[in-house]
Amino acid sequence: MAIIWDGVLEHTRSAQEKNTDPLLWAIHINSALNAAGVSVPSVELADCLVSYICWDNHVPITWKFLEKAATMNIVPPLFVVALLSTRVVPNRLLQPAAYRLYMLFLKRYAFSLASQISCPNYKKIMKSIDGVLQLSLVYGHKECEPGVILVEFIFSMVWQLLEASLDDEGLLENVPENKPRWLTESHNMDIDGPDCFSGKTPEQKDGLQKANTTMAIEIIGEFLQNEITSRIVSLVHQNMPAHWESFIQQLQMLATKSSVLRSLKHLSPDTLLHFASNIHKFLSQECKTKLELNAIMAAGSQITFPSHSHGDNWSSLWLPIDLILEDAMDGGGQVTANSAVEIISGLVKALQAINGTTWHDTFLGLWVSALRLVQRERDPSEGPVPRLDTCMCMLLCTATLVVANLIEEEEGELIEEAERSPTNQRKDKQALGKRRGELVTCLKLLGEYEGLLTPPQSVVQVANQAAAKAIIFASGNAVGNGYLECLSANDLPMNCSGNLRHLIVEACIARNLLDTSAYFWPGYIHARSNHIPRSIPGQIPGWSSLMKGSPLTPPLVNVLVTTPAPSLAEIEKIYEIARNGSDEDRISAATILCGASLARGWNVQEHTIIFITLLLSPPVPPNYRGTESHLISQAPFLNVLLIGISSVDCVQIFSLHGLVPLLAGTLMPICEAFGACVPNGSWTLASGEELSCHTVFSNAFTLLLRLWRFNRPPAEHTMGGAATPALGSQLGPEYLLSVRNCLLASFGKSPRDRMKCKRLSKIITFSAEPLFMESFPKLNLWYRQHKECIASTRTGLPPGGPIHQIVEALLSMMIRKINRGTQSVTPTTSGSSNSSGSAYDDALMKLRVPAWDILEATPFVLDAALTACAHGRLSPRELATGLKDLADLLPATLATIVSYFSAEVTRGIWKPAYMNGTDWPSPAANLSMVEQQIKKILAATGVNVPSLPVGGNSPTTLPLPLAAFVSLTITYKLDKASERCLVLIGPAMNALASGCPWPCMPIVSSLWVQKVKRWSDFLVFSASATVFHHSRDAVVQLLKSCFTSTLGLGSASIYNNGGVGALLGHGFGSHFSGGMSPVAPGILYLRVFRSLRDAMFLNEEIVSLLMISVRDIASSGLPKGQAEKLKKTKYGMRHGHVSLATSMTRVKHAALLGASLVWISGGSGLVQSLMKETLPSWFLSENGSEQEGGGESGHVVAMLRGYALAYFAVLCGAFTWGIDSSSIWPASQRRPSILGSHLEFVASALDGKISLRCDWATWHAYVSGFLSLMVRCTPLWVQEVEADMLKRLSNGLRQLNEPDLALRLLEIGGKRVMGAAAEMIIGKKF
């Protein structure tokens, strides 16, 4: 080959001397190469010619030879540019003419790339360019994909011109952090070499150099303006942010400092920066309204998708938030390990992205949903479920912390980005993001929702105090918290009425999301400060007194218990006392923390629960040498905390804040220590009561059990048909510890966590040491035995052992009124014939054993007692009394009682108990009333209620274990002391009765209504929900009611115009005259779905109902009222401008509802099944495509179905997996796998490997819709998809005539497909 190139150079030298026509020279060279078998364009020839020219033969004729060779495609032009860039640009000051020729060459060929990528040696050329410029080394990649090299080459040429221009004007030294990347010295440079244009004067040379700089800047502008090259450069911005940041900083330097740029006529600094800023706007400019425009254009219309207003349609955009907030209120059904703040934060981000709303509208949607929740619960029915305190926590803590999360996430990312910046000059300026300002706009708009802002009666005074605080501050008077504590309703003027917005603003100010400038917003305050008294006589002590050093006297403690702390400082003060004060003060401080500051301290609640959690885990004292746990000596203090946080609302508040795993981690050591303690002594409390270690253990143990569904078998959560709801379902204590360990190990590592730390108290310290069940051997042993009990696999009791003696003692205590000398409940190994009195005393003495031993013996005691009752040796009343005595001895045994009876009901081996009023209590007095009220509750759903056996010859029966359990529960009084027991066994009784055949639950409810009339509404509602537990058809009918009510497709008056109000109504209870009213279907469904044994059928049913809804929407066009008006206009066509746009809006709402129901019902499990099984199966079947008819109407229905399924699928994924990488949900880790599986199905269908039977218009709409939403709303998903898959999908979209979407998919797909994107950009020929 060397001979060939020697010949080429010899001929070139000869032609140079003869001044041969470049065309003739090129023809000769081309012929010679062809004869030698060298393919063209030849990179070797290009290298040979450039080396020949630079610099020994730098004359005009040789440059003409080179240009002609490029024109005739003998040499690859881009490779020539690469070669010249390394030789000419570094020598541009010495060789200005060569620099100008180089730029002309670049300008000619860099903007005609289509021919360059179609040549046969394209891959070899790109690889050669990489070798010359070392692009792989500069940009840090190992792959040599031609398209990637092409992108890097174009960008590098622009960047080189930029650096050269800065250097020519002496500006490059102003950015020392950015070392020049492309102005390297050429090893071929000959300083003394002749310049063929050296005859010019210095002035002419300066003029030529300035002209060169001018041309370079103009070419930079042309690269950034040209549709093809600018789009190629945008790939660098998208996929190589660090390099883009350095480039853009140099460009900004050029725009601000360059005198040459300022002198240009056709290119100004602002224009240049505008070109650069447009680089990253392709995503917002294209595909933004892809779904809507496709839908409208398919029907022959040219209108855009209607913008939202703050009406019913806008409100429905946030329906998932309403549902998840309402679901979180179901404290009886679920306490979650996952933080509601984190879950709702991810949900809000997903809705904002998919709805395409501004952040202030998004925040407004969140607040409005929370306000609707409060209004639904402002007059709640009584029952053992969370109510107003939890609702207010949702509004003022959860929603506020969600907003704080979203603001801190943005600002944390901005700070991190500034720290990564090469100059790091904008760190302070970027500390505040746009979302903070959007919050201000949102809260100003919130004032327009007066109907939702009316506070519940118990909150009125707090709201008025918040308004008074704003009035006083706005007047310029500094009044402390002590003054506000003493303001009563009588002290405030009539027009100083506060509302819930005042409390929301105070919650935001407390968390540094707002400042006090909010007090000056128009309309925020109405009264004047002179209407408020300056002083109040006889001020009572309060938090201000504490902060001034007042001791914790009983009057002060009483005030602090009933008054929430105004700020973090007061909570920290109390925490310090609880940690380091005297024993008496510590107990007082613990009582205060568990008072109003926990339940209603909405500005400090997240701090209060953390402090309480820390206090439940006191450190080991220095030099502690005791043999028992150091926790034992803390019994009175710990007991105050345990009792203080045991109410339904308090436990639910811990759950909402995500503290359940940490709380479980503090309760387990307490249970382990006190459960192993022998009750030989006790502690005397200030009230005179005796406190035993059994009592402390029971309080801790029952609280721990409420943190997961302990009464359900683990198999329930893992069986093939089970699914985990959106709020999570704990599999047991191991799961809680696992979540705890992960939370503590990962906290503080993300930018958002670091921002969050600024909000938390500086004195908070958590031990990150992991905990495992093996750390608690006694608890672990009990848990294994508990699972055996639940599964009914427990082994028999060996005779004569210590546990057998405890069983004997427990039975002696329980049945002390039975003459044990004549009839024994269980075989005894003792020949004692003592009297029942002495036997009872002996039993109590024998029961001075650790609580763990009693729990181990309890299942055997229950089995013996229930067997005795079944065989008539023990009457039902005696059984109930004995069970109550057992629970009174050790309340922790209630857990075993629940587990045992649940397992025995499941086994089904016991004869029924006749609830006749003789042996067992009778429900007859209330059963008829319960039946009528159940029918009223379900009236709006269309579900048939099975008849109840009221009167006649049909006896009412319950399974014996359930009858015994119910008889035990109704022995409890409804007082504060019994509440902790009832909140444990109440939900378990409901779950157990609901799982039994109809009408067990109505019978149980009737029995309880007799005992607690004020719980009547709650009990009847629970009974009505049981209808759905036993009938899948009833569940489907309920789901149908949810769709028809939300979309306004039903005829019943409750539906009205649809929306959130129709779906969720007013909660449940006797809110109207005449007793129980129909309950909205959404409320019913949220109280039912967790009891469904097989949730997987929901996917098919919800998809089916979604398709039916689309058909009904398309056929009706508009809700009834609007449709009547439309008929009177000439534009009242079924698929006319307004009607189709409205139909599309309602289709989106239907998809939103369907996705919400799937996500809430089954979480990640149900969504995985949807993506992998349900949707592929649906597309592979006909699904009524033949029934829609032909013509325009059938096509539009088919198309709307496709878009509905696209929205539905993306929404399901977004809710479950999150839309970005900040999600803490475990489900997000499975996102790439599940999404990849679904996209494999889509790609295979597009490739023709799978034959579909659905309507083609439906499939086309689904594919374009699904991928459009991924591109626009979830770009991170695209980046997680495999490169080959993205290329297949892109090719399929082009076959569907969706070239723009095909390109966008590649553009945001990451560096892996950057080359394919560039080649497609060039091939599109804009």
Side-chain angles (χ1 to χ4, degrees):
M1 294 297 292
I3 298 175
I4 298 174
W5 306 124
D6 289 342
V8 167
L9 291 178
E10 183 62 33
H11 179 74
T12 301
R13 189 175 296 108
S14 174
Q16 176 184 342
E17 294 172 355
K18 297 176 182 180
N19 201 26
T20 302
D21 186 332
L23 177 60
L24 297 176
W25 171 87
I27 293 173
H28 177 85
I29 294 298
N30 191 34
S31 299
L33 293 179
N34 288 336
V38 177
S39 61
V40 292
S42 169
V43 295
E44 293 84 359
L45 177 60
D47 190 29
C48 183
L49 292 176
V50 171
S51 299
Y52 178 77
I53 293 173
C54 300
W55 296 100
D56 294 337
N57 297 285
H58 171 37
V59 292
I61 189 63
T62 56
W63 281 93
K64 291 179 182 180
F65 290 161
L66 182 62
E67 191 275 337
K68 185 59 66 175
T71 302
M72 294 181 63
N73 205 31
I74 302 174
V75 294
L78 295 184
F79 182 62
V80 172
V81 169
L83 291 170
L84 291 174
S85 70
T86 62
R87 292 168 168 83
V88 174
V89 179
N91 301 317
R92 66 193 180 283
L93 298 182
L94 294 174
Q95 308 286 356
Y99 184 39
R100 189 168 190 83
L101 290 172
Y102 160 75
M103 287 190 289
L104 290 171
F105 200 93
L106 173 66
K107 188 174 181 180
R108 177 169 184 175
Y109 292 104
F111 297 107
S112 57
L113 297 172
S115 60
Q116 314 293 327
I117 68 172
S118 60
C119 68
N121 293 345
Y122 170 57
K123 292 184 178 180
K124 179 181 178 181
I125 293 168
M126 289 298 109
K127 187 174 182 179
S128 300
I129 289 175
D130 184 33
V132 169
L133 299 178
Q134 296 294 299
L135 297 174
S136 300
L137 181 63
V138 171
Y139 294 108
H141 66 82
K142 297 179 181 179
E143 301 174 0
C144 292
E145 187 178 338
V148 174
I149 296 173
L150 178 62
V151 173
E152 295 171 345
F153 168 70
I154 294 295
F155 178 62
S156 300
M157 295 302 96
V158 181
W159 200 349
Q160 186 182 48
L161 290 178
L162 175 60
E163 289 186 337
S165 301
L166 288 170
D167 192 41
D168 290 347
E169 297 194 69
L171 299 175
L172 196 58
E173 60 188 17
N174 293 337
V175 280
E177 295 85 353
N178 294 321
K179 296 182 180 179
R181 292 178 181 269
W182 302 108
L183 296 185
T184 56
E185 294 294 327
S186 172
H187 61 277
N188 291 327
M189 179 177 175
D190 183 358
I191 296 178
D192 299 322
D195 185 359
C196 63
F197 302 104
S198 59
K200 298 183 181 295
T201 65
E203 292 78 10
Q204 289 174 322
K205 279 192 173 184
D206 289 343
L208 183 57
Q209 289 173 357
K210 184 175 181 180
N212 284 346
T213 304
T214 299
M215 177 181 284
I217 294 175
E218 289 174 340
I219 292 175
I220 293 171
E222 192 170 349
F223 268 105
L224 298 179
Q225 184 183 14
N226 181 272
E227 287 184 300
I228 291 179
T229 55
S230 64
R231 194 132 190 182
I232 290 175
V233 171
S234 75
L235 296 175
V236 178
H237 171 264
Q238 182 86 25
N239 300 300
M240 301 157 63
H243 298 288
W244 177 260
E245 179 70 18
S246 299
F247 170 79
I248 207 68
Q249 287 175 1
Q250 291 186 6
L251 190 70
Q252 290 169 344
M253 177 65 68
L254 183 73
T256 55
K257 302 290 186 180
S258 172
S259 59
V260 174
L261 177 57
R262 288 195 298 271
S263 67
L264 298 182
K265 293 182 179 179
H266 304 294
L267 184 65
S268 66
D270 290 340
T271 304
L272 186 65
L273 292 177
H274 176 70
F275 291 157
S277 66
N278 282 342
I279 290 293
H280 68 277
K281 292 184 179 178
F282 287 110
L283 182 60
S284 60
Q285 292 171 349
E286 297 189 18
C287 299
K288 187 168 72 171
T289 57
K290 182 71 180 174
L291 303 183
E292 295 84 357
L293 288 177
N294 275 0
I296 301 303
M297 292 173 66
S301 300
Q302 296 297 324
I303 68 169
T304 58
F305 198 67
S307 61
H308 68 266
S309 61
H310 290 182
D312 290 339
N313 286 341
W314 177 86
S315 181
S316 295
L317 293 176
W318 316 110
L319 179 145
I321 302 178
D322 289 87
L323 288 172
I324 202 68
L325 292 178
E326 188 66 53
D327 184 37
M329 286 293 295
D330 185 19
Q334 189 71 34
V335 173
T336 69
N338 302 320
S339 166
V341 175
E342 298 295 338
I343 292 172
I344 298 173
S345 295
L347 174 62
V348 169
K349 283 197 293 184
L351 289 173
Q352 189 274 336
I354 296 174
N355 290 334
T357 54
T358 61
W359 276 108
H360 75 257
D361 266 338
T362 304
F363 292 152
L364 189 62
L366 172 63
W367 292 122
V368 168
S369 295
L371 286 167
R372 282 196 290 248
L373 175 70
V374 172
Q375 297 306 325
R376 283 194 297 271
E377 296 293 340
R378 62 180 299 113
D379 300 309
S381 300
E382 288 194 49
V385 288
R387 279 296 171 252
L388 192 56
D389 283 346
T390 304
C391 279
M392 294 303 296
C393 170
M394 292 274 204
L395 174 67
L396 300 176
C397 287
T398 304
T400 308
L401 291 173
V402 166
V403 173
N405 260 2
L406 297 172
I407 290 175
E408 290 167 354
E409 180 179 77
E410 179 194 36
E411 294 178 353
E413 290 172 354
L414 290 172
I415 291 175
E416 189 175 49
E417 181 182 333
E419 291 172 347
R420 289 198 308 263
S421 170
T423 58
N424 198 17
Q425 293 175 346
R426 297 182 291 171
K427 181 175 179 179
D428 295 334
K429 294 181 181 178
Q430 289 185 322
L432 298 181
K434 294 180 180 178
R435 294 177 192 174
R436 192 176 290 269
E438 296 278 344
L439 172 62
V440 173
T441 304
C442 155
L443 293 179
K444 289 180 179 178
L445 290 173
L446 190 61
E448 301 173 7
Y449 293 78
E450 294 182 4
L452 290 175
L453 294 174
T454 304
Q457 189 59 42
S458 61
V459 185
V460 168
Q461 184 173 351
V462 183
N464 289 345
Q465 287 179 340
K469 177 182 177 182
I471 293 169
I472 296 171
F473 185 91
S475 69
N477 297 319
V479 178
N481 288 324
Y483 176 83
L484 293 173
E485 290 170 4
C486 301
L487 281 178
S488 66
N490 296 329
D491 298 318
L492 299 174
M494 293 294 293
N495 59 349
C496 184
S497 57
N499 59 32
L500 293 176
R501 183 169 74 136
H502 292 102
L503 295 178
I504 291 172
V505 168
E506 289 301 319
C508 290
I509 291 175
R511 293 166 176 91
N512 296 318
L513 303 178
L514 294 176
D515 56 33
T516 50
S517 63
Y519 297 155
F520 298 93
W521 293 345
Y524 186 74
I525 55 178
H526 301 285
R528 296 180 180 178
S529 62
N530 56 12
H531 293 163
I532 299 176
R534 294 294 175 189
S535 62
I536 298 176
Q539 292 188 5
I540 59 175
W543 287 99
S544 56
S545 303
L546 174 73
M547 299 305 288
K548 294 175 182 177
S550 296
L552 287 178
T553 60
L556 179 58
V557 171
N558 291 336
V559 172
L560 300 187
V561 167
T562 57
T563 308
S567 70
L568 174 59
E570 286 80 0
I571 290 294
E572 288 180 332
K573 178 77 170 178
I574 284 293
Y575 172 72
E576 291 289 354
I577 296 174
R579 180 66 84 182
N580 303 313
S582 65
D583 289 346
E584 184 178 354
D585 282 351
R586 292 180 68 227
I587 290 176
S588 297
T591 305
I592 293 168
L593 279 175
C594 297
S597 295
L598 171 59
R600 300 191 306 279
W602 302 303
N603 296 341
V604 295
Q605 199 171 68
E606 65 268 32
H607 309 295
T608 304
I609 60 176
I610 290 176
F611 283 138
I612 291 174
T613 305
L614 289 172
L615 290 174
L616 282 168
S617 184
V620 180
N623 303 319
Y624 181 74
R625 296 291 185 270
T627 57
E628 61 183 10
S629 170
H630 71 286
L631 296 173
I632 302 300
S633 62
Q634 305 279 331
F637 174 74
L638 293 174
N639 198 60
V640 169
L641 293 170
L642 294 171
I643 293 175
I645 64 174
S646 63
S647 71
V648 174
D649 276 301
C650 287
V651 171
Q652 198 67 8
I653 287 169
F654 270 85
S655 174
L656 294 177
H657 285 278
L659 265 290
V660 163
L662 298 184
L663 179 61
T666 61
L667 292 176
M668 290 182 187
I670 297 175
C671 294
E672 187 74 14
F674 283 91
C677 184
V678 178
N680 290 324
S682 61
W683 297 266
T684 302
L685 305 180
S687 62
E689 298 179 42
E690 295 292 322
L691 177 68
S692 70
C693 60
H694 278 183
T695 303
V696 179
F697 169 79
S698 292
N699 289 334
F701 188 66
T702 53
L703 182 57
L704 175 63
L705 295 186
R706 289 166 58 193
L707 303 185
W708 81 89
R709 303 181 82 175
F710 75 97
N711 59 305
R712 300 296 181 91
E716 174 188 312
H717 303 287
T718 56
M719 61 192 297
T724 304
L727 284 176
S729 180
Q730 287 69 48
L731 306 186
E734 313 103 315
Y735 174 73
L736 291 176
L737 289 180
S738 176
V739 175
R740 172 204 175 270
N741 296 340
C742 290
L743 285 174
L744 292 178
S746 62
F747 184 75
K749 294 183 179 179
S750 69
R752 190 175 72 182
D753 281 348
R754 289 193 289 272
M755 292 292 292
K756 187 186 299 184
C757 287
K758 297 179 180 179
R759 274 193 284 115
L760 299 177
S761 172
K762 301 301 182 290
I763 62 176
I764 290 177
T765 55
F766 272 107
S767 170
E769 181 181 355
L771 295 178
F772 306 96
M773 284 298 289
E774 291 73 16
S775 308
F776 313 104
K778 293 290 186 180
L779 176 63
N780 195 27
L781 176 62
W782 169 85
Y783 185 57
R784 289 203 305 270
Q785 294 171 339
H786 166 75
K787 288 189 290 186
E788 292 174 0
C789 179
I790 285 285
S792 301
T793 58
R794 139 186 112 258
T795 58
L797 177 65
I803 299 302
H804 189 278
Q805 295 178 11
I806 296 175
V807 170
E808 286 284 323
L810 288 171
L811 288 171
S812 296
M813 178 209 61
M814 290 171 60
I815 54 176
R816 58 188 179 276
K817 294 183 180 179
I818 298 177
N819 185 354
R820 298 194 48 168
T822 59
Q823 192 173 26
S824 176
V825 174
T826 184
T828 176
T829 57
S830 171
S832 173
S833 60
N834 292 342
S835 67
S836 61
S838 61
Y840 175 67
D841 293 336
D842 289 344
L844 291 181
M845 289 299 298
K846 292 179 180 179
L847 292 176
R848 292 182 177 274
V849 295
W852 291 120
D853 294 345
I854 295 177
L855 287 180
E856 185 176 354
T858 300
F860 303 103
V861 172
L862 297 174
D863 196 53
L866 194 61
T867 301
C869 182
H871 291 83
R873 298 197 301 270
L874 194 65
S875 71
R877 183 180 299 276
E878 291 169 337
L879 174 62
T881 302
L883 293 174
K884 183 65 164 57
D885 290 340
L886 174 63
D888 288 344
L889 172 74
L890 184 68
T893 57
L894 283 170
T896 305
I897 292 172
V898 168
S899 303
Y900 173 80
F901 284 139
S902 298
E904 294 306 307
V905 167
T906 304
R907 291 175 68 193
I909 63 173
W910 302 93
K911 65 181 182 180
Y914 292 92
M915 314 304 289
N916 52 19
T918 303
D919 299 321
W920 299 94
S922 171
N926 295 288
L927 201 54
S928 178
M929 179 271 293
V930 168
E931 179 181 24
Q932 294 305 314
Q933 292 198 349
I934 289 175
K935 291 180 178 179
K936 281 187 178 182
I937 289 174
L938 302 183
T941 66
V943 173
N944 293 323
V945 179
S947 297
L948 298 179
V950 180
N953 297 321
S954 300
T956 55
T957 63
L958 291 177
L960 179 62
L962 177 59
F965 189 25
V966 174
S967 298
L968 167 65
T969 62
I970 61 178
T971 63
Y972 279 92
K973 298 179 181 179
L974 284 183
D975 53 21
K976 199 164 186 66
S978 300
E979 181 185 359
R980 293 188 297 280
C981 298
L982 290 175
V983 295
L984 177 73
I985 61 178
M989 179 186 68
N990 272 349
L992 179 56
S994 298
C996 292
W998 183 268
C1000 289
M1001 187 62 197
I1003 293 173
V1004 172
S1005 297
S1006 299
L1007 292 170
W1008 261 90
V1009 167
Q1010 291 176 195
K1011 180 178 180 64
V1012 194
K1013 290 289 185 183
R1014 66 178 188 271
W1015 281 14
S1016 175
D1017 288 352
F1018 166 77
L1019 295 166
V1020 174
F1021 178 79
S1022 299
S1024 66
T1026 312
V1027 173
F1028 304 97
H1029 299 169
H1030 302 287
S1031 171
R1032 180 178 291 189
D1033 291 339
V1035 175
V1036 174
Q1037 179 61 39
L1038 179 58
L1039 286 169
K1040 183 178 180 181
S1041 296
C1042 290
F1043 275 92
T1044 54
S1045 62
T1046 305
L1047 301 173
L1049 297 172
S1051 58
S1053 60
I1054 189 176
Y1055 297 138
N1056 296 319
N1057 290 323
V1060 177
L1063 179 67
L1064 297 178
H1066 304 280
F1068 68 89
S1070 304
H1071 294 293
F1072 300 97
S1073 58
M1076 183 71 71
S1077 63
V1079 175
I1083 295 291
L1084 272 171
Y1085 183 78
L1086 291 175
R1087 300 301 178 262
V1088 164
F1089 74 85
R1090 281 196 182 88
S1091 298
L1092 300 178
R1093 292 281 179 168
D1094 180 5
M1096 292 304 171
F1097 83 97
L1098 293 175
N1099 274 337
E1100 292 186 8
E1101 298 298 341
I1102 290 174
V1103 168
S1104 176
L1105 289 170
L1106 176 60
M1107 295 297 95
I1108 292 171
S1109 299
V1110 171
R1111 181 198 63 198
D1112 293 344
I1113 289 169
S1115 61
S1116 64
L1118 292 171
K1120 278 192 173 182
Q1122 297 180 44
E1124 291 298 324
K1125 296 178 183 178
L1126 199 61
K1127 288 178 182 177
K1128 300 177 182 178
T1129 71
K1130 64 179 180 179
Y1131 299 108
M1133 298 175 290
R1134 176 180 299 172
H1135 300 297
H1137 289 20
V1138 177
S1139 181
L1140 183 62
T1142 304
S1143 295
M1144 188 64 182
T1145 302
R1146 298 174 72 199
V1147 164
K1148 288 178 65 175
H1149 292 165
L1152 194 63
L1153 173 62
S1156 303
L1157 293 175
V1158 168
W1159 173 55
I1160 288 175
S1161 302
S1164 60
L1166 213 52
V1167 172
Q1168 176 175 331
S1169 174
L1170 174 77
M1171 292 293 190
K1172 288 188 171 184
E1173 301 168 11
T1174 307
L1175 287 178
S1177 298
W1178 193 92
F1179 286 114
L1180 291 171
S1181 61
E1182 293 186 22
N1183 290 302
S1185 59
E1186 305 290 336
Q1187 303 173 13
E1188 300 302 336
E1192 179 183 331
S1193 175
H1195 177 77
V1196 170
V1197 172
M1199 179 195 62
L1200 288 177
R1201 281 182 162 180
Y1203 285 129
L1205 287 172
Y1207 273 108
F1208 171 68
V1210 172
L1211 285 165
C1212 284
F1215 295 165
T1216 306
W1217 309 322
I1219 63 170
D1220 53 26
S1221 59
S1222 66
S1223 174
I1224 64 168
W1225 309 341
S1228 64
Q1229 300 172 7
R1230 297 191 291 271
R1231 177 174 61 201
S1233 172
I1234 299 171
L1235 184 62
S1237 174
H1238 184 66
L1239 292 178
E1240 174 61 36
F1241 166 76
V1242 173
S1244 296
L1246 292 174
D1247 294 341
K1249 298 177 182 178
I1250 295 177
S1251 178
L1252 303 177
R1253 302 185 67 186
C1254 65
D1255 192 292
W1256 179 250
T1258 300
W1259 174 248
H1260 186 168
Y1262 176 77
V1263 172
S1264 62
F1266 187 88
L1267 295 177
S1268 291
L1269 285 168
M1270 280 183 60
V1271 166
R1272 178 166 62 90
C1273 309
T1274 62
L1276 184 68
W1277 293 11
V1278 179
Q1279 295 170 19
E1280 293 174 345
V1281 178
E1282 293 182 358
D1284 290 341
M1285 175 65 67
L1286 289 177
K1287 293 175 183 178
R1288 290 172 61 194
L1289 292 170
S1290 180
N1291 290 334
L1293 286 170
R1294 280 187 286 179
Q1295 295 172 13
L1296 292 179
N1297 196 27
E1298 297 281 356
D1300 292 335
L1301 180 56
L1303 175 58
R1304 286 302 307 144
L1305 192 66
L1306 295 177
E1307 283 182 320
I1308 67 171
K1311 200 169 182 178
R1312 309 159 301 152
V1313 291
M1314 186 170 69
E1319 291 164 359
M1320 188 174 177
I1321 290 169
I1322 297 168
K1324 280 173 64 68
K1325 297 180 181 179
F1326 287 91

